[in-house]
Amino acid sequence: MSAITRGMTGDRRDIAKAMLNKVPEVTLFFWIVKILATTVGETAADFLATNLNLGLTTTSLIMAGLLAVVLTVQFRTRRYVPSVYWLAVVLISIVGTLITDNLVDNFGVSLVTTTVVFAAALAATFAAWYAKERTLSIHTIVTSRREGFYWLAILFTFALGTAAGDLVAEGFALGFGVSALMFGALIGVITLSYYKFGTNAVLAFWIAYILTRPLGASIGDLLSQPTSAGGLGLGTTVTSGLFLTTILAVVIGFSRSEKHRQLAESDTDAQAAAA
């Protein structure tokens, strides 16, 4: 292999490595922050639209604008930046919730219909993603196109999760507590099937990712809604503030871990170059 070929190969590996770092490792902390973010998506949307009297339409426009700005920053970064990534997740959670709420409350679309439509939209996104890239793994987000599919899929998981969660909790009248337990149990089944029975990792990830949305929404409603509606009556302000603070603390921990990891990789690369 010539020096030029080796150099080109090394450049491609460096680019791929940088892009891979844009999505965090799927650890326990990843799932904790994901559930917290979905809870904030439910309570923050209610807080902005109702408590601040912004209304669904105004709230949706503001949040969509903020999401567009943050996603622009996310796409322009060349590595995983915890603060940018998780801010995008929180905002897309809020926007996904608002999309469903607008369809149901402003346009009178039923929860059954929204659940079916967003399930179909998510399936179409996955189909197009796989047709173009031949993989749905989040560990291979090495191009802007793959990242585009990734965020579009996440948006539809939040919209679908909101519709499905509301359908189960309200449409089927199971209540917030029962809904949270049911979706938590389903995630437990998926986790068990992955670790014990070798379920495909990509399939298990996306099913769990979808289920965390109605789980988070049910937890958020359970904490924030008044006792007369089956909640604990903490309110959207307290619930949103509590979970946002927790997310901030965990993301700060993520950021420090990422810095340590990057320093370790730099030391390893330097040692390899010296050898």
Side-chain angles (χ1 to χ4, degrees):
M1 181 184 295
S2 68
I4 294 177
T5 303
R6 287 196 299 270
M8 291 174 63
T9 303
D11 289 342
R12 286 196 295 269
R13 288 174 179 171
D14 289 342
I15 292 172
K17 184 177 181 180
M19 291 295 289
L20 279 172
N21 288 338
K22 295 188 72 177
V23 176
E25 292 295 324
V26 181
T27 64
L28 176 61
F29 290 108
F30 172 92
W31 291 112
I32 291 174
V33 179
K34 169 61 169 62
I35 294 173
L36 293 174
T38 61
T39 304
V40 169
E42 183 73 15
T43 58
D46 291 341
F47 171 76
L48 293 170
T50 304
N51 294 54
L52 295 185
N53 296 316
L54 295 179
L56 275 176
T57 302
T58 302
T59 301
S60 301
L61 292 174
I62 293 173
M63 290 297 103
L66 289 175
L67 175 61
V69 171
V70 174
L71 280 181
T72 299
V73 175
Q74 168 67 20
F75 272 88
R76 289 181 176 178
T77 60
R78 297 299 299 171
R79 61 182 179 84
Y80 164 57
V81 180
S83 58
V84 176
Y85 176 88
W86 287 110
L87 179 57
V89 171
V90 170
L91 289 173
I92 208 168
S93 172
I94 296 173
V95 171
T97 297
L98 289 168
I99 290 173
T100 298
D101 288 347
N102 270 286
L103 289 173
V104 174
D105 296 338
N106 285 346
F107 296 98
V109 182
S110 71
L111 288 171
V112 174
T113 300
T114 53
T115 299
V116 172
V117 168
F118 286 127
L122 180 59
T125 300
F126 283 143
W129 183 354
Y130 189 81
K132 290 288 186 181
E133 306 294 340
R134 311 311 298 176
T135 179
L136 299 178
S137 173
I138 68 166
H139 301 297
T140 60
I141 310 298
V142 296
T143 65
S144 294
R145 184 167 68 179
R146 289 187 182 186
E147 190 173 11
F149 280 124
Y150 174 74
W151 287 109
L152 183 61
I154 287 177
L155 175 62
F156 285 135
T157 64
F158 280 121
L160 171 60
T162 300
D166 289 348
L167 177 63
V168 171
E170 300 172 21
F172 297 159
L174 294 181
F176 305 125
V178 173
S179 296
L181 290 174
M182 185 186 75
F183 287 115
L186 288 173
I187 292 172
V189 170
I190 295 300
T191 303
L192 181 65
S193 70
Y194 170 68
Y195 283 105
K196 294 295 185 181
F197 303 105
T199 299
N200 179 271
V202 174
L203 177 63
F205 170 83
W206 283 113
I207 292 176
Y209 202 97
I210 293 168
L211 289 173
T212 55
R213 180 62 186 94
L215 171 63
S218 297
I219 293 174
D221 284 335
L222 177 64
L223 294 174
S224 64
Q225 295 301 309
T227 54
S228 59
L232 298 180
L234 296 182
T236 55
T237 304
V238 173
T239 304
S240 298
L242 175 64
F243 281 83
L244 281 172
T245 301
T246 306
I247 290 173
L248 179 61
V250 177
V251 169
I252 289 174
F254 267 146
S255 299
R256 291 177 178 175
S257 299
E258 178 68 10
K259 289 180 180 178
H260 291 157
R261 186 189 63 78
Q262 290 176 0
L263 288 173
E265 288 182 352
S266 297
D267 291 341
T268 300
D269 292 342
Q271 292 173 4

